Every structure is written in C-alpha cells, then in structure tokens.
Amino acid sequence: MKLTVVGGGSTYTPELVDGFARLRDTLPIEELVLMDPAEDRLALVGGLSRRIFARQDHPGRITTTTDLDRAVDGADAVLLQLRVGGQAARQQDETWPLDCGCVGQETTGAGGLAKALRTVPVVLDIADRVRRTNPDAWIIDFTNPVGIVTRALLEAGHKAVGLCNVAIGLQRKFAALLGVEPPEIHLDHVGLNHLTWETGVRLGGPEAENVLPKLLADHGDTIASDLRLPRALLDCLGVIPSYYLRYYYAHDEVVRELRTKPSRAAEVAAMERELLTMYADPSLEEKPELLAKRGGAYYSEAAVDLAAALLGGAGTPYQVVNTYNRGTLPFLPDDAVIEVQAAVGTKGASPLPVAPVDPLYAGLMANVTAYEHLALDAALHGGRARVFQALLSHPLIAQYEYAETLTDRLIAHNREHLAWA
C-alpha cells in the first residue's frame, strides 16, 4: 500500500508517522511518501520519520519529494495537511479581524474565510492531479477549514472524506474520566466541522446506554474548565459543545483575551522553530514531547482508522468524519458537509441516523452552513461582492459596516494568494 502526505514537511508529520508505525497491523504501508515544496523542512521531517520507522521496526519505506505528480503516482490514498501562506498568513488571519472587534481565528469568522480563499483553489488543483494520475485514490482532507475544503472536493467529484481530531480528542478525554478504554466510547457527535455538540456518550456502540447525564453530573466542572465555559451553561444545555463553540458563546470575552496576548500563530511559529531544531538531531528517534503542544492530538490514530476503513483494512467501523449530509440533518441541504458518526468502508462514508436536533443547535448550524455555501462560492469564483456576502452572513460578523471593513482588509492581506484580486 502506498500513502502520500501532501504537506509532509509539516511539523505535525512525525505525529502521523508515529501512528503509522504503531498501528501497522491496521494500516500496512509499504511506501509512505512525504511531499512538500519546502525542501529544507522536508529533509528534516523526512529524516526523523525514517528514524521513527526504523526504531519501531516498521518494514515500510519513507520517501520524500517536492514533485507532486511523482508523489501521488500510484498512491492508494492521499492525505492533505497543507497550509497555504504558512504561519505568516495564519498570523494575519488571527490579528486583523480583532481591529473590528471580531474574533481572529484561522478557521472561524473572517480569518477562516481568508484561509478558505487561499486554500480551496490549491487543494482542487492537487486533487485534479491526483485524479489524472490515479482516479481510484481516496483523498483524506485534514486541511482547514475542513468543512469548506471537503465540500469543494466533493462538489468537484473527488473521492474525498474530511477528517478532524476534535471528536477523537473528546473520546479519549471522556474515556479517561469514566475509567474505560477509548474504543468503548461512542459519541453522538453532530454538527459541522468546528461547530459540533456531543448529544450522547455511549458505552459500547450507537445503541448502547447514554451516560452523558452521569458524565456531566460527575465531571461537569472538569469538562467546563477544559472548554473554558461556565459549568452552569453545560448544565443548561445538557450537551457538551466542542471548544470551538466558545467563539460563539463567549465571543466578546474571547476578543478581549486575544487582544492582550500573543497570537496562537506566533506561539506555534516559535514552537515549530524549536521542533525543527530537534528534528535535525540524528539521535532523535521518536516524536518529542513538545509536539503534543503543537496541536493535532490523536490525529494519527484518526487518520490510520479512516485510511484503513476506506482501503478495506481493519479500521474502526464507525468514525466521525466530514461528508455530504444527504438528508441526515433534514434542516440542512443535502449537499451541506456535516460532521457526524458514519459507517466508513471502501465506498466511502455513510452517516448514521441522527436524533432530532434541538433548534438551539440546528439554527446555528443552518446559519453557518449558509455562510459555508457563500464562502465556497467566493473561493471558487472570487470577487469582492462574494467575499462581502460571505462575511455578512457569518454569525460572528453579521453587520454591514464590519463586513465592509473586513472585506477590504481580507483582500489587502491576501492579494498575493487571490488570482482575481
């Protein structure tokens, strides 16, 4: 089996490689190709990746290349984890929206739209080249904003599934609180990428007992602290929102915080410099502990499970993925991309039935789905008017004066990445 990682020079990659090495029986890889245009980073990451495989006696080989067509030729699956514009673009996404009193974040609000506009055309070009070389290959998208990017891929007819690590992180956290093994936890996970709620936590499978009320009763303070939301809010909701909901439920508080501390992009950039120095050490043969602070926890395990299931291996039968709605949530269009539990196999992902969704959550999902439709239209066709409409529709903006100003700043900061600008 050949698997290609586009964006293989990312400092995330050793986390992924470690998972491939540990879970070799689930996903037997003969060749892992790391592709990245940044040759210097690729050399460092590739060297550590080979040492990780060697230390764990993995029989597969790891190759590196800056040539995309060579990388994807013959691949059974292609995993996308790229960042167009790098951390410098992320730094902008997280800062200029704050001038208008709006959250600055790389996947949500104006910053998220900027990332989508930069990313979608690049991803579609990569996917077209994959299809020309190997039309049967699966594309696994971990590139943010995952919902919009996955929808772009699906609308273009590609064999694609979107992946996020939020659900697997919560699964691990809840398992630890309940004193059980993670595979015993099945989440009733519903929403859009980075806009999800856990409406049930079941021990054993989709039909098993829902222990969410007990989880909240016994561990609500711990969960609320992790989410940085009030315990009283969780008790009122009776569900567990993802930590991204804090941008909506405590927007003004978050803006005040972001204005008084270094951006996450600055923190990550400093961390990446340190990690790359570590990766250059030929005696390093395992992922360093610092990598856990970089983000993407459990990403490797989720990626292995998904790739294995898509390629007919031993992946977990039910997985939280991003895929077409197709009637699963009746208040959303069929072509909306939702993030829910799905049965995953060689034909793709089929969402499991979802219980009726409370209007409190359905309304926000519908609003953000409309934004994502407009955002994708802007990413595909360009134009100031389309960018303005997408920003005006976003619930974290929603005022024409803000949308006007943010439109101009988005275009100014991203002109080099926008062919139409």
Side-chain angles (χ1 to χ4, degrees):
M1 181 183 300
K2 176 179 177 178
L3 193 145
T4 297
V5 180
V6 178
S10 167
T11 53
Y12 270 136
T13 299
E15 158 72 23
L16 188 63
V17 171
D18 177 74
F20 289 155
R22 288 184 294 101
L23 303 171
R24 72 195 71 175
D25 293 337
T26 302
L27 187 66
I29 296 174
E30 296 172 286
E31 182 180 8
L32 175 63
V33 183
L34 306 181
M35 181 273 157
D36 202 292
E39 197 166 3
D40 52 343
R41 291 171 62 107
L42 189 60
L44 297 176
V45 173
L48 174 57
S49 298
R50 293 187 187 96
R51 296 193 296 273
I52 290 173
F53 261 33
R55 180 184 176 92
Q56 300 193 35
D57 295 321
H58 193 292
R61 68 183 185 277
I62 294 177
T63 58
T64 60
T65 181
T66 59
D67 185 328
L68 177 63
D69 293 323
R70 176 185 168 195
V72 302
D73 186 23
D76 297 286
V78 177
L79 198 153
L80 306 180
Q81 57 169 37
L82 57 148
R83 182 183 295 281
V84 180
Q87 294 298 332
R90 178 179 181 174
Q91 169 72 14
Q92 294 178 353
D93 294 344
E94 294 180 347
T95 51
W96 53 262
L98 294 174
D99 295 338
C100 292
C102 298
V103 159
Q105 210 276 333
E106 64 161 345
T107 64
T108 299
L113 178 60
K115 193 171 195 302
L117 296 180
R118 293 193 305 268
T119 304
V120 166
V122 175
V123 165
L124 289 179
D125 177 66
I126 293 169
D128 285 342
R129 292 162 73 175
V130 171
R131 183 160 52 191
R132 285 198 299 269
T133 304
N134 185 8
D136 293 326
W138 279 101
I139 296 176
I140 298 172
D141 178 59
F142 192 68
T143 296
N144 282 320
V146 168
I148 296 172
V149 173
T150 301
R151 185 167 178 172
L153 288 165
L154 292 174
E155 286 192 2
H158 297 290
K159 294 176 61 176
V161 180
L163 178 65
C164 181
N165 68 319
V166 167
I168 194 171
L170 289 173
Q171 180 199 46
R172 297 316 196 254
K173 187 172 295 183
F174 298 162
L177 292 173
L178 294 170
V180 301
E181 292 300 312
E184 296 180 53
I185 298 289
H186 178 94
L187 299 176
D188 291 349
H189 179 101
V190 61
L192 314 178
N193 180 242
H194 291 184
L195 193 85
T196 53
W197 296 262
E198 310 309 321
T199 60
V201 177
R202 302 179 186 277
L203 294 180
E207 304 301 326
E209 176 190 4
N210 180 14
V211 298
L212 176 59
K214 177 175 173 55
L215 181 67
L216 281 173
D218 294 348
H219 303 286
D221 288 342
T222 297
I223 295 169
S225 177
D226 287 345
L227 297 174
R228 300 186 64 199
L229 289 171
R231 166 70 186 271
L233 176 63
L234 299 191
D235 290 339
C236 175
L237 297 177
V239 302
I240 300 175
S242 83
Y243 52 83
Y244 283 94
L245 264 297
R246 187 167 182 261
Y247 295 119
Y248 296 82
Y249 294 159
H251 176 272
D252 293 353
E253 178 184 345
V254 172
V255 168
R256 288 192 294 271
E257 290 175 3
L258 293 175
R259 283 172 162 168
T260 59
K261 66 178 186 178
S263 69
R264 175 63 178 164
E267 293 175 352
V268 170
M271 206 177 301
E272 286 195 334
R273 289 191 292 271
E274 188 174 352
L275 284 168
L276 289 170
T277 299
M278 292 179 177
Y279 295 173
D281 181 354
S283 68
L284 183 66
E285 298 177 329
E286 57 189 3
K287 63 178 183 179
E289 291 184 9
L290 178 62
L291 187 54
K293 299 179 181 179
R294 168 67 179 81
Y298 310 112
Y299 159 40
S300 61
E301 295 175 38
V304 167
D305 263 354
L306 179 53
L310 292 171
L311 298 174
T316 306
Y318 301 125
Q319 301 177 36
V320 173
V321 297
N322 286 260
T323 191
Y324 269 149
N325 178 39
R326 292 198 180 98
T328 305
L329 301 178
F331 54 89
L332 297 181
D334 284 349
D335 62 354
V337 166
I338 60 174
E339 186 172 290
V340 294
Q341 288 278 3
V344 182
T346 55
K347 294 184 178 179
S350 299
L352 301 184
V354 173
V357 177
D358 190 290
L360 181 61
Y361 319 121
L364 185 53
M365 281 186 228
N367 190 337
V368 176
T369 295
Y371 153 75
E372 291 192 347
H373 172 83
L374 293 168
L376 180 54
D377 186 49
L380 292 174
H381 304 293
R384 187 187 186 283
R386 291 188 178 91
V387 174
F388 171 77
Q389 289 175 7
L391 290 171
L392 186 63
S393 73
H394 199 290
L396 296 184
I397 301 167
Q399 297 184 56
Y400 77 89
E401 288 186 353
Y402 288 170
E404 286 279 5
T405 301
L406 290 169
T407 297
D408 290 336
R409 295 196 179 185
L410 184 156
I411 294 171
H413 283 286
N414 291 275
R415 196 174 300 276
E416 66 181 293
H417 300 290
L418 305 177
W420 51 268

